[in-house]
């Protein structure tokens, strides 16, 4: 992996630019699409040439643009604006999955997994390095339907975040609030966004420790898990959502989700089952269990839905979330 062409601009007009030559052709949408929080996510946007993101980096707001010719390419062009531009560009190799190591993964253990891996040999687990940003969004998604969660997150980011730097503003792209900004959101605004007191308290308590949370990027998986799940209201599901996106951990399955265990067990065995059955089923892939989850998701392997659409929570988050 190599990079070239880093510019010096950070303002609204001149971007900083980096070209990243990856170790394999990158299917850009498949890799970074998991970062999008619903079709109306104010912090991400997709167009015919690539992806845009609004990030709250440790250095400040940034707009990040990724372009891959034809959607799949060994060379990805990254452009960034704002005071956080340099930091954002440093994360691009990880964001493209260059830090993810599939060594030891055995897709041939199941024909469906084998076929999905053959279809996407360049897919890897992305890593943003943005723990607090991923954690806040994941907490908001606890205990509610995806539609409710995405609408609540969108409302809060629009009201308390800020326009993304450079061309991000014209694209109506937003950067999430700072930790202090999240902590200052009034209780009635949380409720207006459909976020109950338990979840808003979890967010507020978490962002007050944002510095400690961001340290998880340089910690072992076990240490990072211990630190995050020590927060009140953060359990195995929320941890997995953060680990998959911010830390790029390939073994952290979304146990505790309303659909994931049923969908995966149905895809692999023909019969939907619970978390315990899924854990046993995934045992041969320990070290790569989320890799299996995401490959099945990308392949659209969801059990048939029967009956009326649910109005009850669709993320499992059980006790401890």
């Amino acid at each position: 992996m190599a990079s070239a062409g880093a510019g010096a601009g950070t303002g609204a007009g001149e971007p900083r630019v980096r070209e990243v030559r990856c170790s394999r052709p990158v299917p850009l949408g498949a890799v970074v699409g998991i970062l999008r929080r619903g079709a109306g996510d104010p912090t991400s946007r997709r167009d015919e040439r690539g992806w845009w993101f609004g990030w709250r980096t440790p250095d400040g707001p940034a707009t990040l643009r990724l372009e891959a010719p034809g959607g799949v390419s060994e060379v990805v062009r990254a452009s960034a604006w704002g005071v956080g531009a340099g930091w954002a560009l440093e994360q691009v190799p990880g964001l493209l999955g260059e830090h993810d190591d599939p060594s030891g993964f055995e897709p041939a253990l199941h024909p469906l997994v084998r076929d999905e891996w053959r279809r996407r040999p360049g897919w890897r687990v992305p890593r943003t390095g943005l723990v607090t940003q991923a954690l806040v969004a994941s907490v908001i998604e606890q205990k509610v339907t995806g539609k409710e969660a995405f609408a609540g997150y969108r409302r809060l980011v629009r009201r308390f975040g800020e326009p993304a730097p450079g061309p991000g503003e014209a694209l109506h792209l937003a950067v999430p609030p700072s930790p202090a900004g999240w902590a200052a959101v009034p209780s009635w605004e949380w409720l207006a966004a459909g976020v109950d007191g338990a979840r808003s308290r979890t967010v507020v308590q978490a962002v007050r420790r944002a510095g400690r949370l961001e340290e998880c990027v340089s910690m072992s998986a076990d240490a990072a898990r211990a630190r995050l799940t020590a927060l009140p209201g953060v359990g195995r599901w929320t941890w997995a959502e953060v680990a998959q996106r911010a830390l790029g951990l390939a073994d952290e399955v979304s146990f505790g989700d309303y659909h994931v265990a049923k969908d995966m067990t149905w895809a692999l065995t023909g019969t939907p089952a619970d978390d315990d059955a899924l854990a046993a089923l995934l045992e041969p892939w320990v070290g790569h269990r989320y890799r299996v989850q995401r490959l099945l998701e990308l392949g659209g392997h969801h059990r048939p839905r029967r009956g009326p659409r649910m109005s009850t929570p669709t993320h499992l988050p059980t006790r401890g979330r």
Side-chain angles (χ1 to χ4, degrees):
M1 181 269 298
S3 62
T10 59
E14 293 296 324
R16 295 186 65 169
V17 178
R18 177 180 189 182
E19 276 195 352
V20 177
R21 183 171 294 277
C22 297
S23 58
R24 83 287 177 201
V26 176
L28 187 59
V31 173
V32 304
I34 191 65
L35 305 178
R36 195 176 194 186
R37 303 285 181 169
D41 181 7
T43 69
S44 69
R45 180 185 177 94
R46 185 177 189 177
D47 61 26
E48 68 279 1
R49 295 174 57 193
W51 286 76
W52 296 86
F53 294 101
W55 280 3
R56 173 74 62 180
T57 81
D59 293 342
T63 294
L64 177 65
R65 169 67 163 162
L66 300 174
E67 298 175 82
V72 180
S73 178
E74 289 185 10
V75 178
V76 176
R77 179 182 173 87
S79 306
W81 295 258
V83 295
W87 190 94
L89 290 177
E90 289 177 2
Q91 311 311 308
V92 171
L95 181 60
L96 299 175
E98 283 294 283
H99 300 327
D100 177 33
D101 182 5
S103 300
F105 178 48
E106 296 289 348
L109 292 173
H110 192 285
L112 193 61
V113 178
R114 178 200 62 207
D115 291 347
E116 295 303 336
W117 183 246
R118 283 178 177 171
R119 291 187 183 101
R120 299 171 186 83
W123 176 82
R124 297 290 185 272
V125 182
R127 167 179 166 159
T128 67
L130 295 169
V131 177
T132 303
Q133 185 163 312
L135 179 60
V136 170
S138 298
V139 171
I140 290 172
E141 292 177 10
Q142 294 174 352
K143 296 185 176 180
V144 295
T145 65
K147 182 178 180 179
E148 291 173 291
F150 299 148
Y153 183 68
R154 180 169 63 248
R155 175 188 173 99
L156 290 165
V157 171
R158 290 289 185 204
R159 289 179 69 85
F160 299 100
E162 61 186 279
E169 182 171 7
L171 293 168
H172 304 289
L173 200 66
V175 172
S178 65
W182 281 118
V185 174
S187 59
W188 59 87
E189 291 285 1
W190 288 107
L191 294 174
V195 180
D196 59 45
R199 285 179 290 150
S200 63
R201 284 192 296 273
T202 296
V203 170
V204 171
Q205 291 174 4
V207 297
R208 288 173 176 165
R209 300 167 175 81
R212 295 269 292 165
L213 298 182
E214 298 302 335
E215 292 173 359
C216 291
V217 173
S218 59
M219 297 167 65
S220 69
D222 288 343
R225 183 189 303 109
R227 181 167 294 187
L228 261 68
T229 56
L231 295 169
V234 176
R236 60 179 182 173
W237 180 86
T238 308
W239 151 253
E241 294 294 299
V242 175
Q244 294 160 9
R245 293 163 175 82
L247 305 179
L249 298 181
D251 197 45
E252 299 299 333
V253 178
S254 299
F255 290 120
D257 190 272
Y258 186 87
H259 290 300
V260 168
K262 296 181 182 71
D263 285 344
M264 290 185 67
T265 52
W266 174 83
L268 296 172
T269 70
T271 302
D274 60 13
D275 278 344
D276 290 340
L278 177 61
L281 195 61
L282 293 178
E283 188 66 26
W285 286 295
V286 165
H288 301 275
R289 293 176 296 177
Y290 172 61
R291 199 180 306 281
V292 176
Q293 175 187 329
R294 187 61 182 150
L295 285 170
L296 294 179
E297 290 172 348
L298 288 168
H301 298 287
H302 306 293
R303 72 194 189 285
R305 304 291 196 260
R306 297 184 176 85
R309 294 182 65 85
M310 293 188 61
S311 59
T312 52
T314 61
H315 289 302
L316 182 151
T318 55
R319 175 175 301 214
R321 298 176 288 280

